[in-house]
Amino acid sequence: MMLVEQTTVPGAVLPVAQFKDHLRLGTGFADDGVQDAVLETCLRAAIAAIEARTGKILLSRSFTWALSAWRDLASQALPVAPVGQITSLKIIDRLGGEEVINTARYVLEPDMHRPRLVSTGLCLPAIPVGGQIVIGFEAGFGAGWSDIPADLAQAVMMLAASYYDNRADTGGSGGESQWPSAVATLIQRYRTVRLFGGGVR
């Protein structure tokens, strides 16, 4: 299984000004923007870390997900949430030939934790031996910062601030155990329990 991010979050969407306020950085100086690139990097790192821990996409992007077999012949849980729409479904055989699946053969079953691709018939399209299915979809709470739930937005700010304060520190693992404890608390209810040997169900 391989999840690929096809689009990235535009820099203009990131709340750099709000982050400056959160850090209580001085404003009104000629060099106000000198640290913007560092602040943006910290925000992107915090967003990526929280998305990885929760399985929730904060800001809307396009993804493709390739897999070689269905877990369930009638439906397949998607690897992240929330998913707004399925944009494409295609089969690629072992020789690289592609077949685009008609949209009438499947629907999206929305869910905050485990959205699913569901067959409108008895089964999802058969995946040939040596081939794979590629699912294209749009995921995220919304295109703007204000679309993100307030607790997750606050968690991003707090984690980004931690990254900013420790940006010169090259030691440690950087794992979740080193996060501010409040960040772990804020994201806890969004975390998806992984079952069946770590697979997405």
Side-chain angles (χ1 to χ4, degrees):
M1 299 183 186
M2 183 174 3
L3 180 67
V4 178
E5 185 175 325
Q6 299 294 336
T7 57
T8 59
V9 176
V13 174
L14 297 174
V16 174
Q18 290 175 244
F19 189 32
K20 286 180 180 178
D21 291 341
H22 180 83
L23 294 171
R24 298 181 180 178
L25 297 180
T27 58
F29 302 100
D31 60 351
D32 272 359
V34 71
Q35 291 202 75
D36 284 5
V38 174
L39 300 176
E40 181 176 322
T41 298
C42 291
L43 284 168
R44 288 187 183 278
I47 288 169
I50 288 172
E51 287 182 342
R53 296 301 193 279
T54 62
K56 305 299 178 292
I57 302 302
L58 304 186
L59 291 164
S60 297
R61 278 111 73 203
S62 298
F63 295 85
T64 56
W65 189 41
L67 58 161
S68 57
W70 302 116
R71 272 192 178 271
D72 182 323
L73 293 180
S75 66
Q76 174 66 53
L78 298 173
V80 294
V83 172
Q85 63 173 327
I86 303 293
T87 56
S88 65
L89 185 66
K90 61 183 178 181
I91 292 172
I92 302 177
D93 64 29
R94 62 185 180 86
L95 299 177
E98 296 186 4
E99 177 191 356
V100 177
I101 306 302
N102 191 302
T103 56
R105 295 181 62 184
Y106 59 88
V107 295
L108 169 67
E109 183 180 281
D111 187 271
M112 181 53 66
H113 294 291
R114 292 190 180 88
R116 303 176 75 85
L117 173 73
V118 180
S119 171
T120 55
L122 292 177
C123 297
L124 290 165
I127 303 174
V129 175
Q132 61 181 351
I133 194 89
V134 180
I135 307 167
F137 59 91
E138 300 282 341
F141 287 104
W145 189 254
S146 61
D147 296 317
I148 301 173
D151 46 0
L152 287 178
Q154 179 65 11
V156 170
M157 289 289 181
M158 295 174 70
L159 184 56
S162 177
Y163 289 159
Y164 179 81
D165 290 341
N166 297 286
R167 62 193 181 283
D169 182 8
T170 58
S173 65
E176 188 172 337
S177 63
Q178 297 183 358
W179 287 11
S181 58
V183 174
T185 300
L186 286 168
I187 70 171
Q188 183 59 39
R189 74 187 184 97
Y190 293 95
R191 300 188 68 164
T192 301
V193 176
R194 300 289 179 177
L195 302 175
F196 305 99
V200 179
R201 290 301 297 256

